[in-house]
Amino acid sequence: MKYMTTAEIRESFLHYFEEKGCLRMPSSSLIPDDPSLLLTSAGMVQFKPYFLQQKQLDPAYIGTTTVQKCVRTNDIDIIGTTGRHLSFFEMLGNFSFGAYFKKEMCAWALDYSVNVLGLDKDRLYFTVFVDDDETIEIWKSLGVPEDHISRLGEEDNFWRAGPTGPCGPCSELYYDQGEEFGCGKPTCGPGCDCDRYLEYWNCVFTQYDGQEDGTLVPLPKKNIDTGMGLERIAAILQGVQSNYETDVLRSLVAVGERLSSISYGSDPKADLSLRIIADHSRSITFMISDGILPSNEGRGYVLRHLLRRAVMKAQIIGIHGTFLNDYVDEIVRLMGHVYPEIVENRELARRVILSEEERFGKTLKNGQAYLEEALAELEGDVLSGEVAFTLHDTYGFPIEVTREIAEERGVGIDSEGFLRLMEEQRERARQANTKDTEAAWSTYGGIHAQLRAELGATRFYGYDTTAGEATVTAIVRDGERVENVVAGEVAEVILDATPFYGEMGGEIGDTGLFESTNMRAYVLDTQLPEAGLYAHSVRVEEGEITVGDTIHVAVDAHRRASIERNHTATHILHASLRKVLGDHVRQAGSYVGPDRLRFDFTHFEAMTPEQIDEVERIANNVIMEATPTTIYETSLSEARSNGVTALFGEKYGERVRVVAAGEFSQELCGGCHVRNTSEIGFVKIISESSVGANLRRIEAVTSYGALSYINKVEAELKETAAELRVPIFDVSERTAANLKTLKEIQTKSKRLKEAVSDDGVNALLGMVQDAKAGYPVIITSTDIRDMSGFRNSWDIIRARMDRPGAVVLASVQDGKPVLFAAGTDEAVAAGFNAGAIVKAIAYAIGGGGGGKPTMAQAGGKNAAGIDEALEKAREILL
């Protein structure tokens, strides 16, 4: 066995299957094309259309080979506890869609394992499905001893997408690591739970179509789907016991050693944290680089959960503050040559991660407060499993952290309850993962998939012209195929070729006209319900459209031109934003219509007015320079090497289309664009706002839309100037002067109200009566609207009374009755007690209250009882 680095293994695998006639293809995005899948978790995901015969491979190749980046989190809590489980991993794969099958695959798998990787053939073991005699004979014919071949049941060696659909037996390759890794049981062998026999390659032979009654119908074309875990085979070749000790992951563990000053291997608990951070940091970096941003749902939730789990594990080993960008830099160094997207999006990943770390720092404080409150309210000495689970799930607290804090207070944790809730969560994740797997292999549903398979792709020629002739190949009305559609009806019309652009990449679909001798129909929209299939939503005005008709088709050229102006403007704005705000800015969504454009981008704070002005200035400079746009096709690798911007989260094939506005802007794009930037006229940003954490949005208009916007603003300004009776350029100055005058009037008004209130106090002073104890007292209802008014009035009354006294006042505030009583020290000495008075009379208003002898208040619900309350006060005091 030879020592090979991860990079050497990766390249040797791809090269081997290229030599056999397979097409080397790049890894697909972690965001799968299939909306039913959350994340790409297997190499076959991008080849689903090929397996289902909906796309055909170039006949020059017998199959494909890839190294696919994958993320799986259905067993997240196991990650790091063993040397095998990872959330991010690379899957080496080769795939055939009917060109080669078992015999070739088995021979190549053995040849590659022994003659390229240098594995000892005597240490290789093979499992096959119990009924798969064919594969057993193939392995034996290749010189594999019979005692190195095991038959396993359906659970281990038969692959199904679901209850029905593509399925077939599989054969797994194992490496015997030696007796010292085994369990010692007589039954120990491939498939045992111990670490002796390590499975490193799975070859799936998809040869059947499973029926509802359980029968297996042979597929017309038999497929190969294999997967070899790169980290796992690297561990074997590098002679280490754990994936985390292989070259790439060990380098990431070393980052944690440096940050924590803890040596790996010195403490099992610290080792667990170091492994988890190393693993999760890769997932985080690759997910962000593929267009996933933190959120509270879907992929974004998975990302946020991984990041927070890494931060919590770091705290356990003494790493505090923001630190994950140290891992990002090391990941880019180790893997950037294979995955250029992590290089291109390095600054974005760093900024997003930093923002999330700072945000989570605040969440941690809330979690600690939640735990403190739970401990303070605890009856007994055991913290509930529900509290521990909430801390884990909502606040990101690992159970060991919660347990450690609780133990310091002499409190235990209901571990059984916690584990029960965790298992329920895992089961939900497993079910979701199973559904994802089934969805990955289930056939594309719906009429459009059938049309795409039957008719092939629609030829689009709308980049060069907006009109032409076409043949109607299919019509769909109300979800069903029909032969014709008549006047007054709306249907989807499929053509063999079209100049109509289908909605894609943020650009909305074209509208226009279909015509023939006796037919006229309006195209209301154009969509792509399946890749390559253009569906025209049509309302027939005259005559009818029949399958097989040859018709004249014409895009609304004026509308298309407006869309082109706005689309090219988004590219120029994108480049301008990056110049002003930084390279972390990436497009994260857009809308390009004829009337306006919307552009979402990654950024972490609101833009200042000065930044918006600068972006607008730079963009318009480019427009006014009348730069010709150039559009060309090239390979994805060539485009990336030339610095062409790939849109954040977008998925590309090997051949890509580049749209360039001189040297200023170069982007991968399949949309429609102007021939010269001067056609845009000018661009005006009309708003900038937030659309979520780390995401901003600008809306803008160009050409006629921009002119209309400026004219509208000018009309509003002229109208305002007319109202103010000043020239339009003096509106701001006059408005400021008017605001100053308004504030002065408001101040005078306030003083006037205070004077009026003073008169009200004079009226109250006119109601003074002598109490039984001889001091003056006022007992009455008032119009005072708040408690501060009561206190202010009492201050004035007390100062103006000819001798020290007291008051008992009542009013209705916000529809509810309020009582107020207050007395001077002299009145209190003579027997007045505000608190006692309020308590004695509050029953009448259906409430209660109290206070000190010198001042008290009460509130209630029955405003009709105020008179009774005051009368009771008179009985007591007078």
Side-chain angles (χ1 to χ4, degrees), residues 529-747:
E530 288 286 328
L533 184 77
Y534 287 68
H536 309 79
S537 178
V538 169
R539 183 181 68 239
V540 180
E541 297 296 317
E542 300 174 10
E544 66 179 59
I545 303 175
T546 301
V547 174
D549 284 353
T550 297
I551 60 176
H552 180 75
V553 297
V555 173
D556 182 336
H558 179 76
R559 180 177 179 274
R560 163 75 82 81
S562 296
I563 293 171
E564 290 175 344
R565 295 184 188 105
N566 285 337
H567 201 158
T568 306
T570 65
H571 287 212
I572 294 172
L573 284 169
H574 188 185
S576 302
L577 284 163
R578 286 170 64 85
K579 285 187 177 296
V580 173
L581 302 179
D583 289 342
H584 65 277
V585 169
R586 292 284 178 180
Q587 180 175 332
S590 68
Y591 167 84
V592 180
D595 55 337
R596 63 188 174 90
L597 67 90
R598 185 181 68 228
F599 188 81
D600 297 345
F601 59 98
T602 52
H603 191 50
F604 309 94
E605 58 192 3
M607 293 176 65
T608 65
E610 293 75 18
Q611 288 173 330
I612 294 172
D613 289 345
E614 181 64 6
V615 168
E616 197 175 81
R617 184 192 66 79
I618 292 172
N620 280 309
N621 280 348
V622 174
I623 291 168
M624 300 303 177
E625 287 173 357
T627 304
T629 56
T630 55
I631 300 174
Y632 61 93
E633 286 193 359
T634 185
S635 67
L636 180 60
S637 58
E638 183 68 19
R640 278 186 159 140
S641 66
N642 290 335
V644 177
T645 300
L647 297 192
F648 187 51
E650 191 68 29
K651 295 168 282 293
Y652 300 98
E654 183 51 33
R655 298 295 296 177
V656 292
R657 183 171 181 262
V658 178
V659 177
E663 296 296 320
F664 183 78
S665 167
Q666 297 183 75
E667 284 192 16
L668 303 182
C669 182
C672 302
H673 291 270
V674 299
R675 272 60 175 174
N676 190 292
T677 61
S678 63
E679 296 176 38
I680 298 170
F682 71 103
V683 63
K684 181 66 184 174
I685 298 173
I686 59 176
S687 71
E688 191 271 350
S689 61
S690 170
V691 287
N694 310 315
L695 284 178
R696 307 296 301 179
R697 169 176 292 172
I698 57 173
E699 297 193 59
V701 286
T702 69
S703 62
Y704 296 111
L707 182 61
S708 175
Y709 175 79
I710 295 298
N711 287 340
K712 184 177 180 180
V713 171
E714 184 182 28
E716 291 285 336
L717 187 59
K718 285 180 178 178
E719 185 177 339
T720 304
E723 291 289 336
L724 295 173
R725 298 181 181 178
V726 296
I728 61 173
F729 292 111
D730 291 343
V731 165
S732 176
E733 184 178 344
R734 176 57 62 87
T735 302
N738 286 352
L739 285 173
K740 182 179 179 182
T741 302
L742 177 61
K743 288 180 180 178
E744 291 173 351
I745 292 172
Q746 289 172 336
T747 301

Side-chain angles (χ1 to χ4, degrees), residues 14 23-27 46-47 50 57 64-67 654:
L14 295 172
L23 172 65
R24 180 191 295 214
M25 293 183 68
S27 169
Q46 69 170 302
F47 299 112
Y50 294 93
L57 186 67
T64 61
T65 184
T66 64
V67 52
E654 183 51 33

Side-chain angles (χ1 to χ4, degrees), residues 52-54 447-457 530 533:
L52 298 174
Q53 305 299 318
Q54 293 167 342
I447 188 67
H448 299 106
Q450 298 170 20
L451 289 171
R452 175 66 175 81
E454 176 187 331
L455 303 175
E530 288 286 328
L533 184 77

Side-chain angles (χ1 to χ4, degrees), residues 761 788-800 855:
V761 170
S788 63
F790 275 133
R791 288 190 287 269
N792 291 337
S793 296
W794 166 237
D795 288 341
I796 298 171
I797 291 170
R798 181 173 55 187
R800 293 188 183 181
M855 187 177 293

